[in-house]
Amino acid sequence: MNFTRWSARLPGTQRRAAARTEQTASPDRRGEGSVPAARVEQLTDEPPSVPAVDELRVREVLDRVPSLVALVHGPDHRIAYVNDAYTTAFGVRPLGERAREALPELDALGLFPLLDQVQRSGKPRTVKSRKAPDGRSYTFTCTPVAQGDGKGGSDGRGVLVFATDVTDHAEAAERLRASERRQRETAVTLQRSLLPQELEEPDDLRVAATYHPGGTEAAVGGDWYDVITLGGGRTALVIGDVMGRGVRAAAVMGQLRTAVRAYARLDLPPHEVLQLLDGLAAEIDANQIATCAYAVHDPNEGKLVYASAGHLPILVRDENGTVLRADEPTGPPLGTGGWMHSSGSIPLGPGSTAVLYTDGLVERRDADLDEGIAALERALAGATGTPQVVCDRLVRSAGVTPDHDDDVAVLVLQHPARTGPDSELFRNAALDLLGGVEAAPRARAFASGVLTSWRFPADLHDLGVLATSELVANSLQHGTPPMRLRLRRTDRRLIIEVTDGDDHLPRRRRAEPGDESGRGIAIVATIASHWGCRRTPDGGKAVWCEFALPRTQGT
């Protein structure tokens, strides 16, 4: 094989040769008194001029370059040339042989389809950083060349394979990717450890949640959710999102989640919880902004009372499939300060499903946020089944995949419509307390009759009547009208609650032998599984206690 016939057709060679010919043929324009160039060379002591690039033989150049070079020709890619660097890397290769058999390293790298494409199209192609059988990484550039005058068709075409060793760059890039993977794994591990490992299970709600970390590098953020049983049959639901990425966002999320649980135990209205959380967020990190929605479900009211700090609206699907959006009220994100949050409400009756979520579920770079929320509403309208089934369906409908570019947190809760034998395990009874001190014996008689009809065992019946007597007596002595007694049973517990119009909350204290009061709450706290109190939206208070039912009572 005559390499000169091929090298003469390398891109740019013809143009440089033509330019050299024109320069040689041009007349000498220096004037009649000028000394010919050859004479000047003879009269000077300067060394001979360095040859121009166009005067160098292509083969001499390619033999000395450190990159790997091979030249193949014809439709079956027969070997026309390999340089010394190629031979050093892969061994001696016989000229004239088919490259598919004689250059197995190119086959292992999957380059033969690329050679065919370059030969057909006449256009160069490059593939980046492929690991060869020798363990090193190369970037390959395949350039078409023509034999002779270039009129030989495909049989006269060849391909120059030029491989640059990029092993050091590839290893550095892999080390960087490994470091990013470790950082991401650390952030994901921290994030998951700070989320609830198991959701609390309220008596009156069924709940499910899911969290999907962002799939790009260390894109894990500060999304979180929580379910908090407040006692007295009430449940707090929380969803939040700390802006930012990585370990710092996850750490701030953990602090906020812990604070929410602490504030929730105070049984405050949702807007007061967010007010406290807003001040804390600014103290944790003034540069870190977070959104949060906090809602409370009371089975006696059949609604969600909620407050939002810059978070996306809660969606509720009623028993008929109609989806409602809780748009207002919404305040600014946590940590901004200077804003008085307020609470709103949305119906959540039996048969309803509510969804709390973060923006990763509905926000896309190429679409408006409202379009994403509207798509979620449509998906929720047709979603039926258990909370976990609904949760998974909403995530799928939103197109969330392992390489999703943002974190996604979803919390789904259902207020089941109980029928048949199951409904017998969930009962309510209430009595308005009228007439002053004579209301106490009426309340005891009412409680005794209700607990007997619910077929409670004698010991639980007596404890329930005693707790009712003490709570009513406390309200009659320290509260103001209107007063109301409510008894509620679930499949797990008996709940006794007394409300009145005074907002001073009772506290447990040690009564001295001579004290005429102060023993009622102490007695209730001693005999009940739990007790508590809270202020009500109408300016009064509610004092409650609950008893865990024997296992046979909850089945």
Side-chain angles (χ1 to χ4, degrees):
M1 176 60 61
N2 187 346
F3 188 87
T4 305
R5 290 190 301 155
W6 290 87
S7 63
R9 290 294 179 179
L10 290 174
T13 303
Q14 291 175 304
R15 292 193 301 272
R16 291 192 294 269
R20 187 167 60 250
T21 302
E22 293 176 3
Q23 187 177 24
T24 304
S26 60
D28 192 340
R29 301 180 182 277
R30 288 174 297 179
E32 296 179 356
S34 301
V35 179
R39 181 62 177 165
V40 172
E41 291 178 1
Q42 297 174 0
L43 297 178
T44 61
D45 295 330
E46 294 181 4
S49 59
V50 177
V53 173
D54 290 341
E55 297 174 2
L56 296 176
R57 295 183 61 186
V58 174
R59 178 161 187 158
E60 292 179 359
V61 175
L62 297 182
D63 280 342
R64 288 169 172 76
V65 296
S67 300
L68 281 58
V69 180
L71 180 66
V72 297
H73 71 92
D76 52 358
H77 306 304
R78 294 186 177 273
I79 304 174
Y81 166 78
V82 292
N83 72 344
D84 293 343
Y86 196 106
T87 301
T88 301
F90 298 115
V92 177
R93 296 294 184 256
L95 301 182
E97 297 294 325
R98 286 165 49 91
R100 191 170 294 276
E101 290 81 23
L103 301 178
E105 59 277 0
L106 298 188
D107 193 18
L109 290 164
L111 287 183
F112 284 109
L114 185 67
L115 295 179
D116 294 336
Q117 181 184 7
V118 170
Q119 193 175 64
R120 287 193 306 268
S121 66
K123 297 179 180 179
R125 294 288 186 271
T126 298
V127 292
K128 296 183 178 179
S129 189
R130 290 194 177 180
K131 182 169 287 189
D134 66 348
R136 303 190 68 79
S137 297
Y138 299 90
T139 291
F140 289 86
T141 298
C142 300
T143 303
V145 295
Q147 182 180 15
D149 57 6
K151 298 179 180 180
S154 61
D155 291 341
R157 288 183 180 175
V159 179
L160 183 70
V161 181
F162 191 91
T164 304
D165 190 332
V166 293
T167 304
D168 292 342
H169 296 286
E171 291 177 350
E174 179 56 34
R175 288 193 297 270
L176 178 60
R177 287 192 294 269
S179 175
E180 292 173 345
R181 285 195 298 269
R182 288 193 297 270
Q183 292 180 19
R184 171 178 163 73
E185 289 168 1
T186 299
V188 170
T189 300
L190 175 62
Q191 172 82 341
R192 292 195 182 279
S193 69
L194 294 174
L195 290 172
Q197 303 305 301
E198 291 185 5
L199 293 177
E200 296 185 20
E201 299 180 358
D203 293 0
D204 293 276
L205 297 176
R206 293 185 297 185
V207 295
T210 188
Y211 169 72
H212 294 267
T216 55
E217 300 173 351
V220 61
D223 293 19
W224 92 92
Y225 54 82
D226 212 344
V227 178
I228 309 166
T229 53
L230 302 176
R234 292 154 47 86
T235 306
L237 299 312
V238 191
I239 193 86
D241 185 1
V242 177
M243 305 304 172
R245 292 288 183 269
V247 174
R248 179 58 183 167
V252 172
M253 175 276 288
Q255 296 177 76
L256 292 178
R257 176 177 174 255
T258 301
V260 169
R261 294 190 69 86
Y263 294 148
R265 298 304 178 191
L266 301 176
D267 213 343
L268 299 171
H271 66 276
E272 292 189 24
V273 171
L274 290 190
Q275 208 70 50
L276 294 171
L277 204 60
D278 180 55
L280 179 65
E283 294 178 10
I284 292 174
D285 189 339
N287 298 318
Q288 207 70 30
I289 301 298
T291 65
C292 181
Y294 181 91
V296 174
H297 175 255
D298 188 331
N300 297 309
E301 298 176 355
K303 62 183 178 181
L304 275 180
V305 179
Y306 68 92
S308 175
H311 204 77
L312 299 174
I314 300 171
L315 302 181
V316 175
R317 177 186 184 273
D318 65 18
E319 65 275 17
N320 300 318
T322 302
V323 177
L324 305 177
R325 183 189 299 194
D327 280 328
E328 298 293 342
T330 299
L334 300 174
T336 55
W339 180 271
M340 293 300 295
H341 293 274
S342 57
S343 295
S345 65
I346 187 170
L348 188 73
S352 298
T353 300
V355 179
L356 293 79
Y357 52 96
T358 57
D359 57 4
L361 185 67
V362 295
E363 190 172 31
R364 300 293 181 270
R365 296 180 181 179
D366 57 350
D368 185 75
L369 180 60
D370 284 337
E371 294 178 6
I373 298 176
L376 181 62
E377 289 179 339
R378 291 191 294 271
L380 178 59
T384 57
T386 66
Q388 189 61 59
V389 169
V390 173
C391 196
D392 294 342
R393 180 170 179 178
L394 296 180
V395 171
R396 287 196 304 271
S397 70
V400 177
T401 60
D403 58 351
H404 195 62
D405 62 358
D406 195 5
D407 286 25
V408 174
V410 184
L411 178 61
V412 175
L413 56 132
Q414 290 180 344
H415 186 187
R418 306 184 190 278
T419 58
D422 190 36
S423 64
E424 295 297 318
L425 301 178
F426 292 82
R427 306 288 291 275
N428 285 279
L431 174 69
D432 291 326
L433 301 175
L434 306 173
V437 293
E438 63 270 20
R442 287 202 302 272
R444 286 192 293 271
F446 175 78
S448 178
V450 169
L451 298 181
T452 299
S453 70
W454 289 349
R455 299 179 182 179
F456 284 163
D459 57 343
L460 185 57
H461 171 280
D462 294 343
L463 290 175
V465 172
L466 176 58
T468 298
S469 178
E470 294 298 335
L471 290 182
V472 170
N474 182 79
S475 183
L476 290 172
Q477 183 175 359
H478 301 289
T480 60
M483 301 178 186
R484 185 176 177 84
L485 167 66
R486 177 183 289 136
L487 283 78
R488 175 173 172 77
R489 71 152 295 165
T490 71
D491 58 344
R492 304 176 199 172
R493 70 198 82 231
L494 165 66
I495 302 168
I496 302 170
E497 182 181 80
V498 176
T499 59
D500 64 53
D502 186 83
D503 64 354
H504 290 85
L505 301 181
R507 59 185 178 86
R508 183 180 181 181
R509 62 187 179 88
R510 182 185 299 275
E512 298 299 331
D515 291 346
E516 297 182 358
S517 63
R519 294 181 176 84
I521 295 298
I523 292 173
V524 169
T526 301
I527 65 175
S529 303
H530 301 285
W531 81 280
C533 56
R534 71 178 188 280
R535 291 186 173 88
T536 55
D538 57 4
K541 67 174 179 294
V543 185
W544 56 267
C545 69
E546 58 185 35
F547 296 85
L549 300 185
R551 185 173 297 274
T552 55
Q553 286 289 320
T555 58

